[in-house]
Amino acid sequence: MIFDWGGTLTPWVTIDHLAAWRAYADVLHPDDESAASTLAATVFAAESAAWLLVRDEHRAFTLAQVLEGVQAPFDEQALQAFRGYWDQATHTDPDVAPMLTGLRERGLRTGVLSSTAWPAAWHEEVLHRDGVLDLFHARVWSSDLEYTKPHRAAFEAAMAAVGVDDPADCVYVGDRPYDDISGAKAVGMRTIFVPHSDIPLAQQVPVEVTPDAVVQRLSELPAVVDRWLT
């Protein structure tokens, strides 16, 4: 079982990406509102363009590359402010720990595959904070890859990480019809859709795809798996 992160393992929270970069810029320009506003708008525009490239070409990117692309400073203190703004959207769903425990008790391997610009360490620290890091056999973040979902290479990297060769032996769980469900099914995985996220319009791609199952809560997953195992 391989899981998406944001909007799947975490409840969906709408984030103001410009405000997040303003938190970054305010550290660099604490006494110059105009300079902070200009920097935030510039980096936000660059990040938005990078996500459009993810949508159209599935090219992975990192925060460092976004900042470098607009010649903005890569400042650790400012990054911590940026990350602090995002904390509201990083909390693991309470259903995750018991759900993963149940899957592992069934002998299933579990992993994460997330399209993200964040450093892997940030995600690992979040999962550790919430007590679920060690419940996954492997975790793959696109910031360490060349491609993001729905590119086949991203799913193959996750399969390799959890030690599975045949995509038919994998189930992918996600909240995005295009990136998650369509991408995983194209590789040959079964899919489970968690339909609670408000995907930004600019990131949406119309796709006709039917997941193998739909769950309203992650606590429903073990029962779905039990039906497939019998």
Side-chain angles (χ1 to χ4, degrees), residues 88-151:
Q88 60 188 300
T90 66
H91 295 283
T92 304
D93 188 316
D95 285 345
V96 169
M99 177 269 296
L100 290 175
T101 299
L103 294 178
R104 290 171 68 102
E105 289 172 348
R106 289 162 171 80
L108 299 177
R109 300 185 65 81
T110 59
V112 177
L113 171 61
S114 175
S115 295
T116 177
W118 289 13
W122 287 15
H123 291 286
E124 304 278 305
E125 290 164 9
V126 164
L127 296 177
H128 176 73
R129 177 199 67 195
D130 295 345
V132 298
L133 179 67
D134 294 335
L135 294 177
F136 295 101
H137 292 90
R139 299 159 301 276
V140 176
W141 314 101
S142 70
S143 50
D144 292 327
L145 303 176
E146 182 178 0
Y147 293 101
T148 68
K149 298 174 295 179
H151 198 283

Side-chain angles (χ1 to χ4, degrees), residues 172 174 176-186 191-193 209-211:
Y172 192 80
R176 293 179 177 238
Y178 177 59
D179 309 60
D180 297 334
I181 307 306
S182 178
K185 287 184 76 69
T191 59
I192 298 177
F193 183 46
V209 62
T210 302

Side-chain angles (χ1 to χ4, degrees), residues 9-218:
L9 295 175
T10 68
W12 179 263
V13 175
T14 300
I15 286 288
D16 184 337
H17 289 243
L18 177 59
W21 284 116
R22 181 58 189 263
Y24 181 95
D26 282 342
V27 173
L28 297 175
H29 302 289
D31 302 315
D32 191 336
E33 183 174 345
S34 177
S37 179
T38 298
L39 176 60
T42 299
V43 181
F44 169 64
E47 183 193 28
S48 298
W51 281 116
L52 290 180
L53 205 58
V54 166
R55 182 195 67 187
D56 297 337
E57 299 183 13
H58 322 316
R59 295 281 182 177
F61 71 96
T62 67
L63 295 179
Q65 290 169 338
V66 170
L67 292 166
E68 181 182 5
V70 294
Q71 298 182 322
F74 186 86
D75 184 273
E76 290 294 343
Q77 186 177 357
L79 281 171
Q80 289 307 310
F82 172 88
R83 183 179 175 183
Y85 183 89
W86 268 91
D87 274 350
Q88 60 188 300
T90 66
H91 295 283
T92 304
D93 188 316
D95 285 345
V96 169
M99 177 269 296
L100 290 175
T101 299
L103 294 178
R104 290 171 68 102
E105 289 172 348
R106 289 162 171 80
L108 299 177
R109 300 185 65 81
T110 59
V112 177
L113 171 61
S114 175
S115 295
T116 177
W118 289 13
W122 287 15
H123 291 286
E124 304 278 305
E125 290 164 9
V126 164
L127 296 177
H128 176 73
R129 177 199 67 195
D130 295 345
V132 298
L133 179 67
D134 294 335
L135 294 177
F136 295 101
H137 292 90
R139 299 159 301 276
V140 176
W141 314 101
S142 70
S143 50
D144 292 327
L145 303 176
E146 182 178 0
Y147 293 101
T148 68
K149 298 174 295 179
H151 198 283
R152 184 181 190 90
F155 289 99
E156 289 176 343
M159 287 173 51
V162 297
V164 177
D165 297 324
D166 188 347
D169 293 333
C170 290
V171 178
Y172 192 80
V173 184
D175 66 317
R176 293 179 177 238
Y178 177 59
D179 309 60
D180 297 334
I181 307 306
S182 178
K185 287 184 76 69
V187 174
M189 297 180 178
R190 284 186 177 180
T191 59
I192 298 177
F193 183 46
V194 184
H196 300 311
S197 297
D198 185 13
I199 310 302
L201 183 61
Q203 296 179 23
Q204 294 182 22
V205 177
V207 60
E208 292 187 10
V209 62
T210 302
D212 296 285
V214 178
V215 297
Q216 301 301 319
R217 296 188 58 179
L218 294 177

